Amino acid sequence: MTSPIQEKMFAQLAERAIFEHAKTYAFDYMDTVANRTVVPTQEAIDRLTVFDEPLPKEPQIGEAMLQMLHEIGSPATVAQTGGRYFGFVNGNAVPTAVAARWLTDIWDQNPALYVISPIVAKLEQVCERWATQLLGLPSETVAGIVSGTSIATMCGLAAGRYALLKKAGWDVNQDGLFGAPPIRVVLSEQSHGTVFKALALLGLGRNRVELVPADDQGRIDVDKMPELDNNTLLILQAGNVNSGAFDDFNRACDLAQQADAWVHIDGAFGLWAAASPNLSHLTSGIEKADSWSTDGHKTLNTPYDCAMILCKDRHALVASMQATGNYIQYSEQRDSMLYTPDMSRRARAVELWATLRFLGEQGLAEMLEGLCAGAQMFEEQLSAAGFRMLNDVVFNQVMIAADTPEDTMAILAAVQNSGECWCGGSQWQGEPVIRISVCSWATTADDVARSVAAFVTARNQVKSA
Ligand SMILES: *Cc1c(COP(=O)(O)O)cnc(C)c1O
């Protein structure tokens, strides 16, 4: 009773040609990515119209599809793994983690429950323990493995919302927010956009917050924080998305602890500073918070999409994430869907485990310190070249500007078009700036020098135009 489509797919598994193609194309991409223009050429982008076809009626040929992806798709990628990509805070991927992910793609596990995948449940537990130790968090901390810090932050704030209201005698998960005692949200005006989004999703509102001014580096001004109390959600930041600055966790968390407030730390890319003895002064005091969100796919260099919600209060997180259904059988083992908003999902713990284990404590510290060293090289060479530095380079982020806002924007556009390197722009204290994020393990001193040269060339072009 095999259907023709079943036969086709069994044949694909038996013949393996599509997998051999995928491997060949992947190796070709790896071999050439360092020499590609960092952004695709206009011609490569124009060719993407090939994909604008109606969905075929008949099944297609797998080999030809992989060829299409490689020939048309690969040139239209952003060469993020090449060493000269400094946009947003986009990490590269540790090779062992990519390889482990390939293998687990064949497994196609669903980590929702222990019974669906004992191996992934085990690796999630291991990652939870390793991350808690590396980051110096309380030993009772639990972790949910999610798609990104956006979701992780939403989970942390959901746990905080539940715990605060529970103290006030209200179960928000059962009874909702309508009619609940009000809770306060205190956060810095420099909080990341995804924090406001999480607040909106949780019914706490983007605007129904007490915004605290930030200092010239983008750190929350602790002296200007309002008085906290036991129904306050305080949100701090490890790594400002522009400047890389870290809030003063010791002072802010001490105030929160005295008031019995809930503290969530958005540490998307900065939290990992805790894993390097030379950088951990930046995260001093984070262990006093209640929940933390952090990405794998930024400074940790796991493949996309991989992140963690870490929470000291297991009950608060689980109460906020738990689903029921007569077919859902929780066990004595780790049932991963207790810690995340989703039920079925990818086995992303595998690449997190592979990244951490491949690097080890030493390799991780070395990689993180390498990102910071790259940022410092940018700082030195760009300021020697006459660019204005706008932040203290404490981590992996560098912000610069030219003499006038117009020049800054024109230089940024010229650098972006050069294909030599790529970085983005932002607004800082009312002016347009160029932000450089050193986030890829593959960036070398040569890559920095070549990128600085692209900046100088771009400025000469702008000046002579
Ligand atoms: C990137 C980032 C986020 C969002 O993380 P995603 O993984 O993209 O969802 C949140 N906060 C900060 C500080 C970030 O840098």
Side-chain angles (χ1 to χ4, degrees):
M1 55 151 278
T2 41
S3 66
I5 193 70
Q6 257 181 317
E7 269 170 31
K8 257 181 189 289
M9 291 192 278
F10 280 129
Q12 285 182 319
L13 289 183
E15 288 158 15
R16 303 198 178 159
I18 47 169
F19 297 101
E20 293 295 345
H21 276 62
K23 189 166 105 177
T24 305
Y25 296 143
F27 287 169
D28 181 57
Y29 190 81
M30 277 182 210
D31 289 344
T32 54
V33 69
N35 297 319
R36 280 169 196 262
T37 60
V38 178
V39 284
T41 61
Q42 191 55 49
E43 192 204 339
I45 289 171
D46 292 344
R47 289 173 69 203
L48 292 175
T49 52
V50 170
F51 290 102
D52 296 329
E53 55 174 350
L55 177 66
K57 288 262 184 298
E58 307 276 310
Q60 300 294 298
I61 298 162
E63 290 87 326
M65 289 172 59
L66 284 158
Q67 186 177 1
M68 179 180 180
L69 272 180
H70 187 53
E71 287 179 359
I72 309 202
S74 295
T77 57
V78 171
Q80 196 168 282
T81 54
R84 278 174 286 108
Y85 181 83
F86 307 104
F88 304 93
V89 192
N90 285 355
N92 194 343
V94 163
T96 305
V98 178
R101 179 167 171 168
W102 281 10
L103 174 59
T104 54
D105 280 344
I106 302 296
W107 294 353
D108 195 29
Q109 297 291 281
N110 177 2
L113 295 170
Y114 179 82
V115 291
I116 319 181
S117 184
I119 170 62
V120 183
K122 173 55 73 184
L123 294 182
E124 287 207 359
Q125 250 170 353
V126 171
C127 289
E128 175 181 274
R129 179 163 54 83
W130 285 355
T132 301
Q133 285 166 358
L134 277 168
L135 300 171
L137 304 181
S139 60
E140 67 268 32
T141 301
V142 294
I145 320 281
V146 293
S147 57
T149 292
S150 302
I151 297 299
T153 297
M154 191 191 77
C155 297
L157 300 184
R161 180 184 70 165
Y162 168 80
L164 291 172
L165 284 171
K166 196 72 184 160
K167 275 190 299 192
W170 186 271
D171 186 337
V172 66
N173 298 323
Q174 302 306 329
D175 303 322
L177 272 181
F178 296 106
I183 60 177
R184 296 166 58 205
V185 177
V186 173
L187 78 178
S188 150
E189 61 183 7
Q190 280 285 325
S191 298
H192 195 266
T194 54
V195 172
F196 292 97
K197 175 153 121 181
L199 290 171
L201 282 166
L202 292 170
L204 294 169
R206 290 173 205 270
N207 294 335
R208 207 195 135 275
V209 296
E210 297 169 54
L211 269 191
V212 184
D215 68 12
D216 64 336
Q217 296 297 315
R219 294 174 292 228
I220 193 167
D221 188 338
V222 179
D223 292 324
K224 299 204 175 119
M225 278 191 344
E227 184 110 13
L228 307 175
D229 57 27
N230 69 357
N231 60 10
T232 306
L233 202 50
L234 171 66
I235 304 167
L236 302 175
Q237 180 165 260
N240 178 287
V241 79
N242 289 316
S243 68
F246 292 69
D247 287 344
D248 183 344
F249 303 113
N250 277 307
R251 284 190 61 211
C253 291
D254 286 347
L255 291 171
Q257 279 189 341
Q258 281 155 26
D260 200 18
W262 181 283
V263 182
H264 178 82
I265 299 179
D266 170 7
F269 65 94
L271 208 67
W272 294 102
S276 150
N278 293 318
L279 297 167
S280 60
H281 59 277
L282 296 167
T283 53
S284 174
I286 56 168
E287 71 283 357
K288 298 174 191 171
D290 298 279
S291 56
W292 308 261
S293 39
T294 191
D295 271 321
H297 52 225
K298 288 180 177 169
T299 45
L300 187 60
N301 279 247
T302 69
Y304 283 97
D305 51 34
C306 186
M308 272 195 282
I309 169 61
L310 294 143
C311 186
K312 190 168 75 175
D313 182 344
R314 179 183 187 276
H315 173 70
L317 182 63
V318 169
S320 309
M321 299 296 142
Q322 184 150 27
T324 52
N326 51 17
Y327 73 105
I328 301 176
Q329 294 166 11
Y330 290 109
S331 66
E332 293 297 296
Q333 311 284 345
R334 179 186 170 94
D335 289 312
S336 301
M337 64 177 279
L338 288 171
Y339 306 92
T340 63
D342 31 22
M343 184 171 177
S344 307
R345 61 188 160 84
R346 224 164 49 70
R348 42 177 84 94
V350 178
E351 61 249 29
L352 185 55
W353 167 85
T355 302
L356 293 173
R357 189 168 197 273
F358 167 74
L359 294 170
E361 273 186 55
Q362 243 172 34
L364 175 54
E366 216 173 280
M367 182 178 76
L368 293 165
E369 288 159 21
L371 304 180
C372 300
Q376 279 155 14
M377 281 182 236
F378 265 115
E379 178 189 30
E380 280 156 30
Q381 295 174 29
L382 286 169
S383 69
F387 287 94
R388 225 164 7 109
M389 293 295 132
L390 300 176
N391 66 318
D392 299 340
V393 179
V394 295
F395 199 51
N396 69 324
Q397 302 287 121
V398 186
M399 259 193 306
I400 63 165
D403 298 336
T404 66
E406 294 71 29
D407 279 3
T408 301
M409 301 217 310
I411 291 168
L412 176 60
V415 166
Q416 288 178 338
N417 290 330
S418 74
E420 271 288 283
C421 70
W422 201 92
C423 52
S426 189
Q427 283 282 324
W428 188 253
Q429 288 161 359
E431 73 168 316
V433 297
I434 298 171
R435 55 188 291 289
I436 299 164
S437 177
V438 184
C439 208
S440 161
W441 65 263
T443 297
T444 62
D446 261 5
D447 288 318
V448 174
R450 216 172 127 176
S451 303
V452 169
F455 271 88
V456 173
T457 306
R459 189 181 49 196
N460 293 342
Q461 275 169 12
V462 166
K463 291 279 184 206
S464 64

